[in-house]
Amino acid sequence: MDLKEILLDRFGYDNFRPGQEEVIRQVLSGRDTIAILPTGMGKSLCYQLPGSIMEGSVLIVSPLVSLMEDQAMRMRKNGEKRVVALNSFLPYTERQRILGQLHTFKFIFISPEMLSQNSFAYHLNRLSLSLVVVDEAHCISQWGFDFRPDYLRIGDFLKQMNCPPILALTATADDKVLKDIQQYLRMDKPVVFRHSLDRPNISYSILEVNSAFEKTAWIIERVTHTVGPGIIYASSRKRADELAIALQMEGVAVQSYHAGKEQDDRAIIQEQFLNGELDWICATNAFGMGVHKDDIRQVIHEHIPATVAAYVQEVGRAGRDGLPAAATLLYMPADEQTTSFIIQSDTPGEAEIRHYSKLIAEGLPPGEAAELARLTETGKRVIDYYKEHYSLDKIVHHLKGLSYEKQKLLQQMTHLVKGGECIRQTALSYFGEVCRSKPAQCCSNCGLSIEWLTEAPTRKITNEKVSWDERITNLLG
Ligand SMILES: Nc1ncnc2c1ncn2[C@@H]1O[C@H](COP(=O)(O)OP(=O)(O)OP(=O)(O)O)[C@@H](O)[C@H]1O
Ligand SMILES: [Mg+2]
Ligand SMILES: [Zn+2]
């Protein structure tokens, strides 16, 4: 089959990007496939092209509503109208209507949570599926075990279907993540494609400061004197808000973005960032997945991310256009502990798990039991999932192991930050990659000049400084 002709014909591209054609051929041959391609490389084409040739529908499991809708919108723009994004935000009647005519859609986007609903399984079973895609498949590892257990149920669901081939897509997967993907999607001897994760146009800097105050001062100085657009990743919602306000007071076009904001506000802020009305975003890790902005020049971390994989994902949002971009991580000595604490508080402890279980055994409704045992909503969901599969002792053991593993991942990240070795090389080594050639502007440990950052200050400063009223409103929501 002449894939290149189809590529030009239906997608308007002259050539495949590295990796795309190989992955597409595997998918067409019916093999289960895992493709690890860097951010912005064009993973979506790996299911869109085969989908456009194959008979039945393509089901795409996607982690975020905004991500699904954005993808669906892009596909419609490109002329593919048979696409739908099924999510819990759709009004009931609309959802029923779509479910009734599901077979008329070629590409169906869905969240793992909706996939596990029985009502949906009924409709899917009547559908002829040619391919199941799990986009951002590292979420299985990253979120499945302690945040969104429905990620672990995708495999159970697939087992009920008559086994269409599966394609898992991600930009970052170390061996552990790869193993999880394979196991939880019940993949059958998948073919694994791995493209180098190195992004030579990104230069890495790591900088130690003494206090949060110094961080803020550094960020203000940096943002007002160098090129944007950029993203600042903060460790908490509060901190993201604080930084946004500090920068607004300097006249920078910036907003904060995190899960504490209304869905609508978040959508507006993302849109403003995409179309250039905002130069900077101060965000928690809730921001970034599926943000298709090619000209991000800087990503600044003002904390230590929990894993090297998360760091690489976040940093990878810079410089998708291939032009120089800078990643800077600021930290102070206490940050390692802060991150460690956040990780710990995310995983329910033994006492809480046992207490919760006991209360349930005594006949208390799960909601009340969780509250009494001081479980978070997420903690409850996770334990409920495990209770379906394991005994109490096993759950405790399992979650302890998980907590230990997370601390180990944080240690890798800390080593990257404090080790003083080439940052690029160290990061790549965690994904089993050897860095074959370092770019001239490699990292602060190899020596770096960041003059280009100041050369073309395209940053737009808003004329009106923000009034006190607005600042207070911004601050208090
Ligand atoms: N063969 C190609 N030639 C030119 N442009 C392409 C090609 N394939 C994909 N693109 C473009 O590359 C951009 C990124 O594609 P896509 O969103 O699929 O990347 P991705 O790998 O899924 O990134 P992310 O990790 O951010 O999800 C899109 O604008 C897409 O149109
Ligand atoms: Mg993608
Ligand atoms: Zn280096």
Side-chain angles (χ1 to χ4, degrees), residues 43-44 71 135-136 292:
K43 287 185 281 296
S44 321
Q71 283 293 5
D135 199 9
E136 310 284 355
H292 292 281

Side-chain angles (χ1 to χ4, degrees), residues 7 13 15-17 20 37-45 71 74 135-136 171 290-292 294 320:
L7 180 71
Y13 303 132
N15 286 300
F16 284 108
R17 294 224 179 115
Q20 284 179 328
L37 302 175
T39 323
M41 196 73 164
K43 287 185 281 296
S44 321
L45 189 82
Q71 283 293 5
R74 287 156 159 267
D135 199 9
E136 310 284 355
V291 173
H292 292 281
D294 290 342
R320 287 169 55 137

Side-chain angles (χ1 to χ4, degrees), residues 194-200 422-429 431-440 442 446:
R194 201 193 271 275
H195 190 275
S196 169
L197 293 177
D198 189 23
R199 299 278 306 279
C422 172
I423 301 164
R424 181 181 314 272
Q425 229 158 34
T426 313
L428 287 175
S429 74
F431 300 99
E433 245 191 78
V434 188
C435 172
R436 293 214 166 72
S437 74
K438 292 185 194 175
C442 178
C446 291

